[in-house]
Amino acid sequence: MLKELSHMDRITQLQDEIQRLLTIMSSTIAYLTARSTFLQVSEQIPITKIRNPDKYDPPELFEANKNELVQDLIVKAKQIEYLIQSLPVPEPEQQQANRLQALEQQMQDANEEYIQAVDRAKNLHRKISEFLRTMLDNADGPVEHASLI
């Protein structure tokens, strides 16, 4: 049970790290689209829009920030890869089927035991009720001892 909890903790950590990676990616895309300037990439395609200089970062700062964002993505991806490597190897399908079948048998056995216990409790309740009824009916006379079990 403790081993399964440890695996679940790793899965939760993995989910959290993937969420953080997606947040970093989203922030990176937002930064790159908001703080870049338009550059002509082909002589056949002219630049039709120019941003104000206060709307984009200077090329040196933009490159430094872009490199930092790439490093953040790489670090987060390596953390995710480490968490994936630490997950247990999935058990073979046949082994899972056998385990589920054994659990189903245990559940059926427990259910049968429960039904027997309920039947026994009902039987005891019936005998006690009969005994008490007999006692109340014979309140004036001597009481015969009835067997409870």
Side-chain angles (χ1 to χ4, degrees):
M1 178 75 166
L2 185 60
K3 194 174 187 180
E4 287 179 13
L5 287 177
S6 175
H7 296 323
M8 293 307 291
D9 289 344
R10 288 187 196 138
I11 291 172
T12 302
Q13 286 176 334
L14 182 60
Q15 288 173 329
D16 292 344
E17 293 303 317
I18 289 172
Q19 184 64 40
R20 287 186 191 108
L21 177 68
L22 293 173
T23 301
I24 291 170
M25 292 172 86
S26 174
S27 299
T28 299
I29 291 170
Y31 171 79
L32 292 174
T33 56
R35 301 303 294 175
S36 65
T37 186
F38 300 109
L39 298 175
Q40 189 167 356
V41 292
S42 172
E43 290 185 18
Q44 287 100 13
I45 303 172
I47 297 177
T48 59
K49 192 172 183 181
I50 297 177
R51 282 196 173 155
N52 291 333
D54 61 331
K55 297 284 184 180
Y56 64 89
D57 289 339
E60 307 83 35
L61 178 62
F62 185 75
E63 280 299 316
N65 288 339
K66 189 168 63 170
N67 288 335
E68 183 179 340
L69 292 169
V70 168
Q71 287 303 315
D72 290 345
L73 285 170
I74 290 171
V75 167
K76 192 55 64 183
K78 286 182 180 181
Q79 289 173 346
I80 290 171
E81 184 179 12
Y82 173 77
L83 286 172
I84 290 171
Q85 295 300 323
S86 70
L87 290 173
V89 177
E91 64 183 328
E93 191 173 321
Q94 184 61 41
Q95 190 175 355
Q96 286 180 12
N98 292 342
R99 189 166 54 91
L100 287 174
Q101 193 172 20
L103 287 172
E104 175 135 1
Q105 183 60 47
Q106 288 176 357
M107 186 176 69
Q108 288 174 353
D109 293 345
N111 194 34
E112 287 176 15
E113 288 176 18
Y114 172 77
I115 289 170
Q116 290 173 356
V118 168
D119 288 344
R120 184 168 183 242
K122 286 179 181 178
N123 190 28
L124 287 173
H125 180 267
R126 183 184 51 78
K127 286 182 178 181
I128 290 172
S129 295
E130 288 174 5
F131 179 75
L132 291 174
R133 198 171 295 115
T134 302
M135 285 181 59
L136 290 173
D137 290 345
N138 297 329
D140 295 332
V143 178
E144 293 182 29
H145 294 290
S147 173
L148 286 178
I149 299 177

